[in-house]
């Protein structure tokens, strides 16, 4: 694995820890289906969050948008997850973004609810 892949995996671990500390239950990590991948699937209360994790070593790189192609891949994977594991009625389903800045200092994790659009 190269440095970018290592950073991505490390970022996903940090994002998972961040969510767990805030009361989320992580249901899946690196789930593949529908021709895409969901980095983290997490639930808290009546919310199901399908999360894309973006780990970068430079703050300005975190501002780079998730491309239309990436969004489409995430949406396909989300649809596949929901088809296999339909959430209970009344569950809010979101496509969230979790950014992780991993540099020389302490990592900075931000959870951005609904940043990738709605789940429907």
């Amino acid at each position: 694995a190269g440095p970018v892949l290592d950073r991505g995996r490390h970022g996903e671990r940090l994002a998972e820890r961040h969510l767990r500390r805030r009361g989320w239950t992580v249901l899946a990590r690196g789930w593949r289906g529908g021709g895409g991948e969901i980095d983290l699937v997490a639930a808290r209360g009546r919310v199901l969050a399908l999360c894309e994790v973006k780990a970068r070593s430079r703050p300005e790189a975190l501002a780079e948008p998730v491309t239309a192609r990436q969004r489409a891949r995430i949406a396909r994977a989300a649809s596949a997850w929901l088809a296999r594991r339909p959430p209970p009625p009344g569950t809010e389903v979101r496509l969230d973004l979790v950014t992780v800045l991993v540099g020389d200092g302490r990592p900075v994790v931000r959870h951005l609810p609904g940043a990738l659009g709605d789940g429907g």
Side-chain angles (χ1 to χ4, degrees):
V4 172
L5 188 60
D6 289 342
R7 182 173 56 234
R9 287 194 182 125
H10 181 59
E12 286 175 22
R13 284 192 299 270
L14 292 169
E16 179 178 354
R17 190 171 72 195
H18 177 85
L19 292 174
R20 286 185 192 277
R21 285 181 175 164
R22 281 154 183 79
W24 291 86
T25 299
V26 174
L27 305 175
R29 187 184 321 120
W31 187 86
R32 292 179 181 278
E37 180 184 3
I38 302 169
D39 293 330
L40 294 171
V41 179
R44 184 174 74 180
R46 298 178 75 75
V47 177
L48 179 68
L50 306 163
C51 304
E52 174 72 4
V53 177
K54 192 157 99 166
R56 299 291 185 268
S57 57
R58 298 181 345 271
E60 59 275 14
L62 286 175
E64 294 167 4
V66 176
T67 66
R69 189 174 177 170
Q70 288 169 317
R71 284 175 189 256
R73 175 185 55 78
I74 295 161
R76 281 194 311 272
S79 294
W81 168 274
L82 295 169
R84 287 177 179 84
R85 301 178 82 173
T91 301
E92 177 189 354
V93 178
R94 294 193 316 229
L95 296 179
D96 292 2
L97 178 64
V98 181
T99 63
V100 184
L101 179 61
V102 287
D104 299 332
R106 191 165 174 235
V108 178
V109 181
R110 289 185 63 216
H111 178 201
L112 306 165
L116 299 176
D118 65 42

